[in-house]
Structure formats: structure tokens, C-alpha cells
Amino acid sequence: MLAFALGFVSLCCTLLVAPVGAVRLPDAYDVSWTTQSNNSAGSMPLGGGDIGLNVWSENDTILFYIAKSGTFDENNSMLKLGRVRLNLDPNPFAAGTFRQTLKLNDGFVLFEGAGNATMKIWVDVFNPVIHVELHAAQDVMLNAAYESWRTSDRVMNLRGNNRAEQEQSSWSFNNATTYADATTFHNGGVRMTHHNLDTTVFDFTVAQQHLAEYKETMYNPLASNTFGLWMYSPDLAPANITEGRYVNTTFKAWNLRSKAAKSSYNLQIVAGQAQGSTESFQSTLDTVAKSAGNNTQAATIAWWHSFWDRSYIIINEDAGPNDGAFQVGKNYQIFRYMQGCNAFSAWPLRFNGGLWTFDPVFVNPDAAFTPDYRRWTGGTFTAQNQRLVYWPLLKSGDFDLMKPQFDYYARITSNAQLRGRVYWGINATVFTEQMDNYGLPSPKEYNGAEELEGAGPRPDSFPVGMEYNTWLEHLQDTANEFVDMILQANMFTGLDVSPYLDFIENQIMWFDLFYQQQHRRADPFALTGWNYASDSGNGSLVIYPGSGAETYKVAYNPSSTISGLRKIVNDLLQVAPAYTKGNQSYFENLLLRIPETPLRFQQGKPCISPAQGYSRIQNTEIPQLYPVFPWGEFGLGMPNLTFATNTYELDTETQDFHGNKGWNQDVIWLARMGLTTQAANYTLDRWSDSTIYRFPVFKGPNYDWSPDINHFGAASIALQEMLLQTFADSNKQIRLLGAWPEDWNVRFKLHAPMNTTVEGSVKGGEWEELVVEPEGRKVDVVFGQK
Ligand SMILES: *[C@@H]1O[C@H](CO)[C@@H](O)[C@H](O)[C@H]1NC(C)=O
Ligand SMILES: *[C@@H]1O[C@H](CO)[C@@H](O)[C@H](O)[C@H]1NC(C)=O
Ligand SMILES: *[C@@H]1O[C@H](CO)[C@@H](O)[C@H](O)[C@H]1NC(C)=O
Ligand SMILES: *[C@@H]1O[C@H](CO)[C@@H](O)[C@H](O)[C@H]1NC(C)=O
Ligand SMILES: *[C@@H]1O[C@H](CO)[C@@H](O)[C@H](O)[C@H]1NC(C)=O
Ligand SMILES: *[C@@H]1O[C@H](CO)[C@@H](O)[C@H](O)[C@H]1NC(C)=O
Ligand SMILES: *[C@@H]1O[C@H](CO)[C@@H](O)[C@H](O)[C@H]1NC(C)=O
Ligand SMILES: *[C@@H]1O[C@H](CO)[C@@H](O)[C@H](O)[C@H]1NC(C)=O
Ligand SMILES: *[C@@H]1O[C@H](CO)[C@@H](O)[C@H](O)[C@H]1NC(C)=O
Ligand SMILES: *[C@@H]1O[C@H](CO)[C@@H](O)[C@H](O)[C@H]1NC(C)=O
Ligand SMILES: *[C@@H]1O[C@H](CO)[C@@H](O)[C@H](O)[C@H]1NC(C)=O
Ligand SMILES: *[C@@H]1O[C@H](CO)[C@@H](O)[C@H](O)[C@H]1NC(C)=O
């Protein structure tokens, strides 16, 4: 690693060149197919704004599913807007003359066919409109069908051996009903509207959780939620309505057909979602539709170019598509494209499928359900999984993409405050795991005992407001990571944290107020940490009963909670002492009262302990390594790194919990601990082209669902950490190539705290270029593992 340091020294004085123009991703990163797909599982993702499409060709037709964020129905399923099928006659895109390409740099899908025919499908980043543009060498007839499987009310009662249909909603036992959409020909096109009733699963949940008297004042995103689309082409006219079956689901098709054969067509689909009346929704749709035909792709392409310019990691670009490290760089970029498709959303990109789920039987043969199905619901935002999707957006400088996740917490803060006040008389927020989009535990998890082995029905003595669930009880710290992301977004880019301060301070204060209350119920002597000999106490907090992730239950001082509290209070004091609503001294004092991260011996060596005590082990996370990531208490450049590596290698309880898929964090920990060989090995495996689905970054279901978004979120974090680490020295240190294999050539641009960007290129183990801006930050740069 010395070579890197020397290289830098010589560069800093001679070769420091300004970054050259806009980056262009290698054309070889485009995903291109010359044969059609077998079914929807062989689709490729497309999107923009907050719309996602799965695009594929099958039996000489071109099809796409449409998803949009916020499309929650009464039962908290996230419904697709439908499916579009394009038939051409004669068909230039028939087998033999066929190519389908995701044009990554410009963000669209291109079909190429006989006679140089092209069909471009793109989604406007700034307006909720999907565009289809067809140019053929000869005149063709086009039939564009809007296909819907929600044509009558549907009771979700299908069951496979392992999966039940209502898992797509916030219900697990009842036979919930998905209501039909209203779909009609309208104004020369076809219009679909789904309008939720005022009464939804929200009302059930509020009553179940003893909050009915506060209902009118509570934030409720489901009542009257309305969504739909209008599909239209000046060249097509409404024809008949037909019926069919695709995979496991029957559907109706509203056909728009050519008025006369033509060589070029424009088709637009205007999508929308808002809470309110059907009338106001439809009139908004009409307004967007009026200008849709005037929107050109130029602005959208310019946005994608600026998006690529913010950040990139391009590896072994000359090595070709079969090189493992080439695939790492390529697929990292493609996954970042998928994240970019949700840039202007009101809702976070979901960990379990994002905007790109497809017919579920191709994920699990027991799930022969409609295309609306995904496991772990459309409306429950599982924080432990969501966080992995959002952490990597700091170093890629995608702060605008983080806003949906931050705003989500800002919106649900008032409901979580209500929980604290009503159940415990505490003025602070209680966020939970498996939390629905209005900040309350999902009803199926709140009383989860019916489904859980080893637990009977909820006893009256179990605290009201606490999830009665063997995984989830007392798991209250999952929001800490989003607190820290907001604080770090301020460090990285100066994000204004004031809209989130209520969330941040309430989340931190919960642990102080709630655990003091708990302690006083158990111990008449209020001062903790009493030492008989010195006749004094340090007043340190006792976090009991707590939970080390979902794994160490009824835990005493779990290290994941303690290490996290220390980090977020430190970061709050660093970022915004002037912001603190309470006062700075309150948080300074709290910092002193957070206990030490517990240690224990394993196989004779000091290790991080999951907690000072616990009753049982329920899941397979390894929360004793959360002090490494996300909390940065142990790692390269920090003291006692061996405690972490010992924990990884020697902790006897968790050896079976290690893994490299879904939300497993091993690959991140390996990078942070500087275990380069293993980190690189796991990174190659994470990012290798999918062998499960046709699209290279469609993998899964792992623990969640396909495409598995948090699998690649974790992989993105790890790849960035191999290149750049910024947690040491109170977020000041910039460590480059801390876990980077010497034989991976790389070109990259990443972001760091204090408005810093780092742009560099390493070839054959030597720096070719390194630009740190602002220049004053160069003194904080360290190389390799020193
Ligand atoms: C279609 O399915 C067949 C049989 O499973 C498989 O061999 C082939 O690779 C698939 N084609 C594509 C394009 O995925
Ligand atoms: C297709 O485009 C190529 C290159 O522009 C041109 O040489 C060729 O004649 C075109 N073919 C047809 C059938 O238009
Ligand atoms: C749900 O529907 C199934 C099939 O119709 C029926 O057997 C079952 O009893 C229903 N369950 C409930 C809770 O209503
Ligand atoms: C699903 O939503 C509908 C509409 O609000 C409601 O009537 C129904 O009770 C909900 N749950 C079930 C189990 O059907
Ligand atoms: C719909 O229209 C097409 C084209 O005119 C025709 O071939 C087809 O039979 C019609 N189907 C029905 C169910 O009317
Ligand atoms: C393609 O043809 C197969 C076999 O007839 C059928 O099962 C499948 O549903 C068709 N696909 C589409 C998109 O219609
Ligand atoms: C669902 O679709 C798959 C794939 O087409 C098929 O193999 C399976 O038999 C279908 N199952 C049901 C219950 O329709
Ligand atoms: C384009 O914009 C003009 C002016 O706003 C409007 O009158 C016209 O209808 C629009 N054209 C299309 C195709 O949407
Ligand atoms: C909670 O806050 C409210 C309003 O700020 C205040 O009236 C109340 O006394 C506080 N309750 C507790 C327990 O601190
Ligand atoms: C390293 O661990 C030892 C033993 O627990 C402890 O005494 C020491 O303070 C730690 N060093 C730092 C800098 O945390
Ligand atoms: C590389 O990772 C694979 C799993 O992807 C694992 O089986 C193998 O042991 C690892 N090899 C090394 C050298 O770490
Ligand atoms: C970062 O930039 C923002 C916006 O330009 C500015 O408000 C903030 O003070 C800067 N922070 C640092 C540490 O330079």
C-alpha cells in the first residue's frame, strides 16, 4: 500500500488535473438482448421520477408492467397500475430481427427491428408520463392494449404450501378484499382509476392498538388514496374489450387500435396518485395529459447525464463482460440507475422488489398469485431492510434521492409521538420494526402470536403498544440509522436538518426517557452504575429490556443500541448544536450517560458482546458487529480493531449466521475491517450477473422478494467502503483503498463529509489521477490500511 501513498505525494504537486467533462458510462454497460424473453421474469427495468416499468418481449409482442410509488390500496397492498401489450402488423420486432437494449447513459429502452425500425420507451423524469415512440420503415398497424386483472372485487384467499396471497397486504389471516378499479374508454384513450374508501386497514389498526379516540388527528395516507392512468395516442382509437389469461391471472384488455396503418406512432401513458376525490384526481390527470405531448426527452436525458456525473465506480473497463470485477462496476451502475428511477418520489424505494416486481410464481412456485403480490407487503416499511437501500446514497451524492426516505419519517413522527404519550406518558417517539406507512406496527405483527411458535395469545399483562411478537418486541432502535443518515447528509452536503429535527430529537430522547422509566419500575434506587466503594453513581442508562436487532431478545444493554446512540448523539452535537431544540447541554450530558459497548471473551479472545445479557436468540443477524457498521466504533483507523475481527471470526453463537445475500452485512463488515481478500470475494459474488433471472441485477428472493433491492443496497455500501471510508476521526478522515484488491483498476467519483468529492483513477496499483475538492481536505486523506 506504500506505493499508493508515494503515488499520491508525487501527484499532489505535479499532476493534479481538473476533472474532465461529463462522464460517459462504457457502452458495454448497456444490457442488450437479441432474443425475446420467456415471460415477465425475463423483463428489464425502466423508470423515472417515481414510475417503474418491467419491459420485455414475448411471443412477438412487446409488454410492460407499470408501477408507481404511493399506490397503496385499502388493505395496504401496493397495486401495479397495470400492463400494456403492443402488437404490430407486420411486426418489425419479430424473432430473428430483434434487439432490446437498456440504454443506461440516456435512461431508456430501445427495441430495434427489421428495416431499422425502432421503438423507444422512456419515462419522463419530471412529469408522470410514459412515452412510446415507434418508427418503422413501412406502414404498420398497431394495437395497444391496456390490461387489468382488477376488473371485479377479489378476495385474497389463494394459498400455496408456504405463501398466502394476503401477505401482499397488511393482513395475514383475514380474507381481505382488493377492490376493482374503474376502467373505461375515455376521451379517445383508456382510463383506469382506483379510489380507496375512507375506511381502510388504518382504521382497524388504530382500534386494535387502542388509539381510536385520537384517530381524527392522526396522519393517514390510505383514506381516499387514488391512483390510475390514462393511455392515449392520436393515431389510435378505442376498439373492443377482450379477455385473456397471463401466467396465473385472468385479465381484461381495453384495446386501442390504428385508425390506419402508419410508419410512426406516439403513445403516452399519464399516471397519477393523490389522496382526494376521484373527480379531482381525474382532472389532474387531464391537465398533465394536455401538456404531455409537448414534453421532449431532452430534459430527461440531461437529468440522467447529470446523475451519472455525480458519482461512479468503473472497474476493469477494458477487461470485457466476463471479468468478475468488470461485472461489479457494471452492475453497481445499473443498480444505481434503478435507485435513480425513484428520485422524485414521495415514498422510499421498497427493499422487496422496488418498482419492478413481476408475476410472483417466478419467484416462488407456491405464489401463483396476481402481479400485485410481493412478500412482506407493499405498505410496511421494514427499517432494517430499507436502511441498506439508503446508506449508499450518501457516498454517491444522491441526497435528493434520500429525501423520500427522510420525509417518510418526518410524516410519521406525530403518530409515533402519540404512541409514546398514550402508552407510556412519554413525550418522545416510539418507532417500531415492521411499521406501516402511517407509523404504527403492522396489525399482523402487533398481535403476531397466533402465527408464532412458542407464544400463546397476547396476555393482558403484556404492555399495550408493544408488539407481541417473538422477533419484534422491544425493537425500537431501527430508526436510529435514518437519524444518522439525515445528520450525515448535512455533513456531506449541508442538508437543512430543521424539517427533521422533531424526528431526530424525539427518537434519541425516547431511549433516555423510556429506559429511565423502566429502571425506576424495577429499582427504587434511581441512580445507576452505583459503586459501593466510591459511594457514587455515574447515572448511566440501563437499556433493559432491549433487543439486539431481532436476534438477542430481552437484552440488557445491547451493543447495537448503545453504539448507535453514542454515534447519533455525537453526530447531532457535531452537526447542529445550534439546531437542538432542547439544549446542547442536555445532549452533552446524555452522551456521558450512554454505557460502554459491552465486550466478552470468545475462544479466549476479547470480542464485542451482543449485550450484557439476553434471554434467547431469535433470528440470524449479528448485532454485535453493528458497532462496525453502521456505527463506525470499530474499524480501520479506530482503536481495538481486533475486537471486531475476533468477533467476526471467533464468536461461537453467530458462526452459522454469516452469509452473503439479502440483508447479510458481512461484505460491509469485511470492507470496514480491511479484510480485503474476503471482501473482494464476497463483492464478486454479490455483483456477478444474475443466473436466476435474465436481467443481471434481478436476484432474489433471498430473505425478501425479487428483485431483491436490499441485496444490492448492501453490496453498494460494501463496494464504496472498499474504496472510501469516512467514519474515523469524527467523520473527518478520508481513507482511500482501505480494502481494495491491487489488481482491480478503477475510475471513481465519490462524496465525503464536509462537501467533499474525491475523484480518482488507479491502474496497475498506481494512482493515475486523484482530485480532492475542496483542496483543504487533502490533509485528511490516508491510504490503504495504515
Ligand atoms: C427460456 O427458458 C428456457 C427453458 O427454461 C431457458 O433455457 C432459456 O434460457 C430461457 N430464455 C431466456 C431468454 O431466458
Ligand atoms: C439501415 O440503416 C443503415 C445504416 O444507416 C443503412 O445502411 C441501411 O440501408 C438501412 N436499412 C434499411 C432497410 O433501411
Ligand atoms: C377465507 O377463505 C377461505 C376460502 O374461501 C375459507 O376457507 C376460510 O374460512 C376464510 N377465512 C376466513 C378467516 O374468513
Ligand atoms: C380491506 O379493505 C376493505 C376496504 O376498506 C375493508 O372493507 C376490509 O375490511 C379490509 N380488510 C379485509 C380483511 O377485508
Ligand atoms: C376484437 O377486435 C378484433 C379486431 O377487430 C377482432 O379480431 C376480435 O375478434 C375482437 N374480439 C372480440 C372478443 O370481439
Ligand atoms: C405466449 O405463448 C404461450 C404459449 O401459448 C402462452 O402460455 C403465454 O401466455 C403467451 N404469452 C403472452 C405474453 O401472451
Ligand atoms: C401458474 O403459472 C405457472 C407458470 O405459467 C404454471 O406452471 C402453474 O401451473 C400455474 N399455477 C396455477 C395455480 O395457475
Ligand atoms: C402543447 O402545448 C400547447 C400550449 O400549452 C397546448 O395548447 C397543446 O395542446 C399542447 N400539445 C400537445 C400535443 O399536448
Ligand atoms: C408533553 O408535552 C406537552 C406539550 O408540550 C406538555 O404539556 C406535557 O406536560 C408533556 N408531558 C410530559 C410527560 O413531559
Ligand atoms: C481498547 O480496549 C481497551 C480494553 O477494553 C480499553 O481499555 C481501551 O480504552 C480501548 N481503547 C480505546 C481507545 O477505546
Ligand atoms: C469466496 O466466497 C465464497 C462464497 O461466495 C465462499 O464459498 C468462499 O469460501 C470464499 N473464498 C474465500 C477465499 O474467501
Ligand atoms: C456545505 O455546503 C453547504 C451548502 O453550500 C453549506 O451550507 C455548508 O456550510 C457547507 N459545509 C461545509 C462543512 O463546508
Side-chain angles (χ1 to χ4, degrees):
M1 287 298 154
L2 193 59
F4 294 136
L6 292 174
F8 178 65
V9 170
S10 62
L11 272 169
C12 75
C13 313
T14 54
L15 279 173
L16 256 184
V17 289
V20 277
V23 70
R24 201 183 147 76
L25 302 175
D27 288 334
Y29 282 11
D30 288 353
V31 179
S32 198
W33 298 332
T34 53
T35 58
Q36 301 183 21
S37 300
N38 288 330
N39 49 51
S40 60
S43 57
M44 61 170 60
L46 169 68
D50 71 342
I51 290 174
L53 271 55
N54 300 70
V55 184
W56 79 105
S57 179
E58 179 178 348
N59 303 347
D60 288 341
T61 67
I62 289 171
L63 301 108
F64 51 90
Y65 278 117
I66 306 171
K68 185 178 189 335
S69 69
T71 55
F72 309 114
D73 80 347
E74 286 93 342
N75 299 298
N76 237 343
S77 299
M78 182 175 164
L79 302 182
K80 285 200 180 288
L81 292 183
R83 183 174 57 223
V84 171
R85 182 189 304 243
L86 305 171
N87 279 294
L88 290 95
D89 184 20
N91 180 16
F93 308 107
T97 59
F98 171 87
R99 181 185 287 275
Q100 176 182 355
T101 307
L102 174 61
K103 296 290 214 180
L104 206 56
N105 278 288
D106 294 348
F108 68 92
V109 167
L110 180 67
F111 289 92
E112 295 165 280
N116 295 341
T118 59
M119 184 191 285
K120 186 192 274 188
I121 307 180
W122 60 281
V123 182
D124 193 322
V125 167
F126 303 103
N127 302 284
V129 184
I130 300 156
H131 293 263
V132 179
E133 297 170 3
L134 169 68
H135 298 284
Q138 61 180 122
D139 288 348
V140 297
M141 295 292 285
L142 172 64
N143 188 93
Y146 168 73
E147 297 183 349
S148 170
W149 49 94
R150 290 190 305 269
T151 53
S152 57
D153 292 353
R154 167 183 179 76
V155 177
M156 291 187 274
N157 61 8
L158 293 178
R159 273 183 176 69
N161 291 327
N162 294 310
R163 302 268 64 93
E165 193 179 9
Q166 55 264 55
E167 291 167 332
Q168 70 178 50
S169 75
S170 287
W171 302 102
S172 60
F173 320 111
N174 306 356
N175 292 329
T177 304
T178 303
Y179 287 105
D181 307 332
T183 306
T184 56
F185 289 120
H186 165 77
N187 205 9
V190 48
R191 182 174 70 190
M192 181 282 272
T193 310
H194 188 100
H195 173 71
N196 283 1
L197 305 173
D198 287 340
T199 304
T200 69
V201 68
F202 170 86
D203 302 79
F204 175 90
T205 308
V206 164
Q208 177 202 43
Q209 296 171 23
H210 307 275
L211 297 171
E213 64 184 287
Y214 310 96
K215 194 168 85 178
E216 297 315 313
T217 63
M218 291 175 71
Y219 164 64
N220 172 1
L222 298 186
S224 299
N225 192 33
T226 309
F227 44 89
L229 55 72
W230 181 59
M231 178 168 97
Y232 169 78
S233 167
D235 310 314
L236 304 178
N240 53 7
I241 299 172
T242 53
E243 293 184 2
R245 183 176 175 85
Y246 182 64
V247 190
N248 299 123
T249 309
T250 55
F251 65 87
K252 279 189 180 165
W254 281 257
N255 294 282
L256 303 179
R257 204 162 288 145
S258 296
K259 296 168 182 169
K262 291 185 75 217
S263 63
S264 72
Y265 289 88
N266 282 308
L267 176 77
Q268 284 136 32
I269 298 155
V270 181
Q273 175 268 325
Q275 277 181 281
S277 71
T278 299
E279 294 68 32
S280 78
F281 172 80
Q282 290 176 344
S283 95
T284 305
L285 216 55
D286 288 345
T287 307
V288 177
K290 278 204 183 75
S291 57
N294 286 339
N295 299 331
T296 65
Q297 199 187 357
T300 288
I301 290 179
W303 187 84
W304 283 112
H305 288 183
S306 69
F307 177 73
W308 297 123
D309 221 25
R310 283 178 192 172
S311 178
Y312 47 86
I313 301 175
I314 296 170
I315 308 169
N316 286 2
E317 59 190 299
D318 301 324
N322 296 324
D323 179 68
F326 175 93
Q327 289 181 13
V328 173
K330 178 195 67 166
N331 291 335
Y332 171 85
Q333 257 22 238
I334 295 173
F335 178 65
R336 189 161 168 262
Y337 166 75
M338 291 165 69
Q339 288 185 306
C341 292
N342 200 52
F344 296 111
S345 179
W347 293 95
L349 185 67
R350 291 196 58 87
F351 68 99
N352 55 345
L355 297 165
W356 301 281
T357 54
F358 40 81
D359 293 83
V361 77
F362 301 125
V363 183
N364 183 325
D366 277 342
F369 311 140
T370 80
D372 288 327
Y373 177 89
R374 67 175 82 206
R375 196 183 178 196
W376 302 113
T377 95
T380 308
F381 284 84
T382 306
Q384 281 288 292
N385 308 42
Q386 285 300 133
R387 71 205 171 96
L388 297 169
V389 183
Y390 278 86
W391 274 120
L393 300 180
L394 286 170
K395 289 207 174 75
S396 60
D398 292 321
F399 311 109
D400 47 352
L401 273 65
M402 301 183 91
K403 194 171 180 296
Q405 181 71 70
F406 296 170
D407 287 353
Y408 163 83
Y409 275 99
R411 287 196 301 265
I412 60 179
T413 290
S414 60
N415 285 359
Q417 275 167 337
L418 189 68
R419 285 171 42 78
R421 208 155 58 231
V422 171
Y423 304 141
W424 289 282
I426 288 174
N427 271 350
T429 47
V430 205
F431 292 99
T432 66
E433 188 58 319
Q434 300 303 65
M435 188 170 63
D436 274 349
N437 35 14
Y438 34 83
L440 303 183
S442 175
K444 74 170 161 212
E445 309 286 6
Y446 181 80
N447 266 344
E450 291 158 65
E451 266 191 337
L452 307 176
E453 286 171 25
R458 184 182 189 110
D460 290 344
S461 58
F462 201 77
V464 173
M466 187 63 66
E467 284 168 291
Y468 186 66
N469 181 305
T470 49
W471 283 271
L472 303 179
E473 51 78 16
H474 286 102
L475 181 53
Q476 300 149 18
D477 66 357
T478 59
N480 286 350
E481 295 189 45
F482 298 101
V483 165
D484 204 44
M485 273 180 230
I486 294 170
L487 294 171
Q488 291 211 35
N490 172 283
M491 289 179 208
F492 272 69
T493 191
L495 175 90
D496 177 11
V497 302
S498 51
Y500 309 112
L501 210 57
D502 229 20
F503 162 56
I504 292 170
E505 294 197 351
N506 272 278
Q507 170 65 13
I508 295 174
M509 280 157 54
W510 168 256
F511 292 90
D512 191 17
L513 300 174
F514 176 73
Y515 283 107
Q516 286 197 51
Q517 182 189 78
Q518 292 290 307
H519 189 76
R520 293 207 173 96
R521 283 177 185 173
D523 184 350
F525 195 68
L527 203 55
T528 57
W530 184 259
N531 183 311
Y532 183 82
S534 65
D535 196 21
S536 67
N538 60 13
S540 72
L541 280 176
V542 171
I543 306 284
Y544 174 82
S547 190
E550 291 183 6
T551 297
Y552 288 92
K553 300 310 296 183
V554 199
Y556 189 102
N557 285 348
S559 52
S560 42
T561 305
I562 284 173
S563 185
L565 275 178
R566 190 174 4 265
K567 171 75 168 152
I568 59 180
V569 175
N570 258 318
D571 284 352
L572 177 65
L573 288 168
Q574 182 177 341
V575 159
Y579 277 126
T580 49
K581 260 195 329 184
N583 52 47
Q584 192 176 336
S585 60
Y586 168 77
F587 289 100
E588 282 167 351
N589 172 269
L590 175 60
L591 193 56
L592 299 175
R593 291 187 287 114
I594 297 171
E596 305 260 295
T597 300
L599 303 174
R600 67 177 179 185
F601 281 86
Q602 293 279 288
Q603 306 192 48
K605 294 278 168 46
C607 293
I608 308 165
S609 181
Q612 277 172 269
Y614 47 88
S615 66
R616 64 196 164 82
I617 296 177
Q618 172 74 17
N619 205 339
T620 60
E621 297 133 325
I622 311 177
Q624 49 270 60
L625 284 168
Y626 281 36
V628 175
F629 175 86
W631 302 125
E633 187 176 340
F634 298 90
L636 288 173
M638 305 288 287
N640 290 334
L641 173 58
T642 51
F643 296 178
T645 49
N646 290 344
T647 308
Y648 191 87
E649 285 157 8
L650 302 176
D651 185 299
T652 53
E653 280 169 354
T654 51
Q655 284 312 305
D656 291 347
F657 300 171
H658 290 286
N660 192 29
K661 60 175 186 173
W663 46 250
N664 289 146
Q665 286 176 200
D666 291 55
V667 64
I668 306 171
W669 294 323
L670 290 166
R672 282 218 169 169
M673 297 186 300
L675 300 175
T676 307
T677 307
Q678 289 181 66
N681 180 35
Y682 271 10
T683 289
L684 288 167
D685 180 58
R686 281 255 171 183
W687 289 109
S688 63
D689 286 348
S690 178
T691 52
I692 305 166
Y693 303 107
R694 194 177 196 189
F695 192 71
V697 301
F698 278 9
K699 287 188 181 177
N702 299 324
Y703 305 105
D704 299 321
W705 201 247
S706 303
D708 186 356
I709 303 296
N710 60 160
H711 177 90
F712 288 106
S716 298
I717 299 166
L719 183 65
Q720 294 171 351
E721 295 287 326
M722 288 169 71
L723 260 178
L724 169 66
Q725 304 190 358
T726 63
F727 55 88
D729 194 12
S730 301
N731 310 299
K732 276 214 292 294
Q733 188 178 79
I734 297 174
R735 178 179 299 274
L736 292 169
L737 311 183
W740 195 259
E742 297 215 17
D743 58 344
W744 289 11
N745 296 335
V746 63
R747 247 184 334 131
F748 71 94
K749 177 177 177 184
L750 289 169
H751 296 244
M754 287 128 215
N755 298 347
T756 304
T757 56
V758 184
E759 214 170 335
S761 151
V762 177
K763 204 165 188 181
E766 295 287 338
W767 285 96
E768 290 198 315
E769 185 193 16
L770 178 62
V771 181
V772 178
E773 290 197 27
E775 278 210 42
R777 286 280 272 146
K778 276 194 289 188
V779 297
D780 298 317
V781 174
V782 299
F783 292 91
Q785 306 202 333
K786 75 178 174 104

